[in-house]
Amino acid sequence: LTTLRQVDLKKIIAYSSVAHMSLGLIGLFSLNIQGLEGSILLMIGHGVVSSALFLIVGVLYDRFHTRLVRYYGGLTQVMPAFSACFLFFSLANMGLPGTSNFVGEILVFLGLIQRSLFAGVLASLGMVLGAAYSLWLYNRVCFGALKTRYAGLFPDLTQHEVFVLGYLILLSLGLGLYPQPVMSAIHCSASLILRV
């Protein structure tokens, strides 16, 4: 709920990071293999998605020199590639199937529901709020009337930004569509932790 009250883009992303790390912590304390592996995968996916979201905020700040949400709006009209990347990572932050966060979140919830159905339902409410602030932020920044006076003077994504964001998109999709290499790498360690 604190996230919905923020007006600074970077603080909104930071609070969403805290929410995802709390979900990862819940997975660790489920004390079963699904929860532990899901927590590790969620942390890896979160590293990819949050890095991209902070880079997106940096792109906006570099062009417009403000991080306040109220000064943005209608960026899909002047920055379509930026808006598409922002949409992808906002959806990935919500745990869209096929992205890196989805696999970790599903495993965390499976592990948590095995431990306690009530705790699983309670944690799922946090995911609903996470989706709400991700959609709220994207809607405020990219849709509506164009608010930034100098939007036409600044280009869309540069080649360097496209390269970095494209790499992060491929990494997020790769971890979401084929998580098996990472899962097999962490399975032995996770099993050993649970035996202790």
Side-chain angles (χ1 to χ4, degrees):
L1 291 175
T2 306
T3 309
L4 291 172
R5 300 275 306 147
Q6 297 302 314
V7 294
D8 187 315
L9 292 168
K10 193 179 270 190
K11 286 183 182 178
I12 293 170
I13 303 301
Y15 278 113
S16 79
S17 294
V18 170
H20 274 92
M21 287 302 99
S22 66
L23 188 61
L25 192 64
I26 289 171
L28 287 175
F29 284 109
S30 68
L31 298 176
N32 55 37
I33 194 72
Q34 290 88 2
L36 188 58
E37 287 181 355
S39 177
I40 295 169
L41 276 174
L42 183 61
M43 289 180 202
I44 294 170
H46 172 72
V48 173
V49 172
S50 280
S51 299
L53 287 172
F54 279 115
L55 177 64
I56 283 170
V57 171
V59 166
L60 284 179
Y61 185 77
D62 186 47
R63 283 162 175 74
F64 304 112
H65 303 291
T66 184
R67 291 190 318 249
L68 298 178
V69 175
R70 68 174 175 251
Y71 292 117
Y72 294 105
L75 289 183
T76 53
Q77 301 168 26
V78 292
M79 298 175 76
F82 168 84
S83 299
C85 289
F86 190 20
L87 177 64
F88 175 81
F89 287 112
S90 293
L91 292 174
N93 195 35
M94 289 188 278
L96 179 75
T99 61
S100 55
N101 283 359
F102 175 74
V103 179
E105 288 176 6
I106 285 294
L107 286 173
V108 165
F109 280 120
L110 287 175
L112 186 58
I113 288 172
Q114 285 178 8
R115 179 64 61 185
S116 167
L117 181 62
F118 176 73
V121 170
L122 199 61
S124 66
L125 293 176
M127 295 307 303
V128 171
L129 287 174
Y133 62 70
S134 290
L135 289 174
W136 172 82
L137 178 63
Y138 184 78
N139 185 37
R140 294 280 306 265
V141 171
C142 292
F143 292 122
L146 188 63
K147 292 182 183 175
T148 308
R149 289 189 328 190
Y150 306 108
L153 301 175
F154 296 104
D156 204 353
L157 296 176
T158 65
Q159 289 180 345
H160 299 293
E161 293 161 349
V162 168
F163 176 76
V164 173
L165 288 171
Y167 177 74
L168 291 171
I169 287 171
L170 290 177
L171 194 57
S172 180
L173 287 174
L175 287 170
L177 295 174
Y178 189 60
Q180 189 57 39
V182 177
M183 293 283 289
S184 60
I186 63 175
H187 184 72
C188 290
S189 299
S191 298
L192 287 174
I193 290 171
L194 288 176
R195 283 189 207 145
V196 172

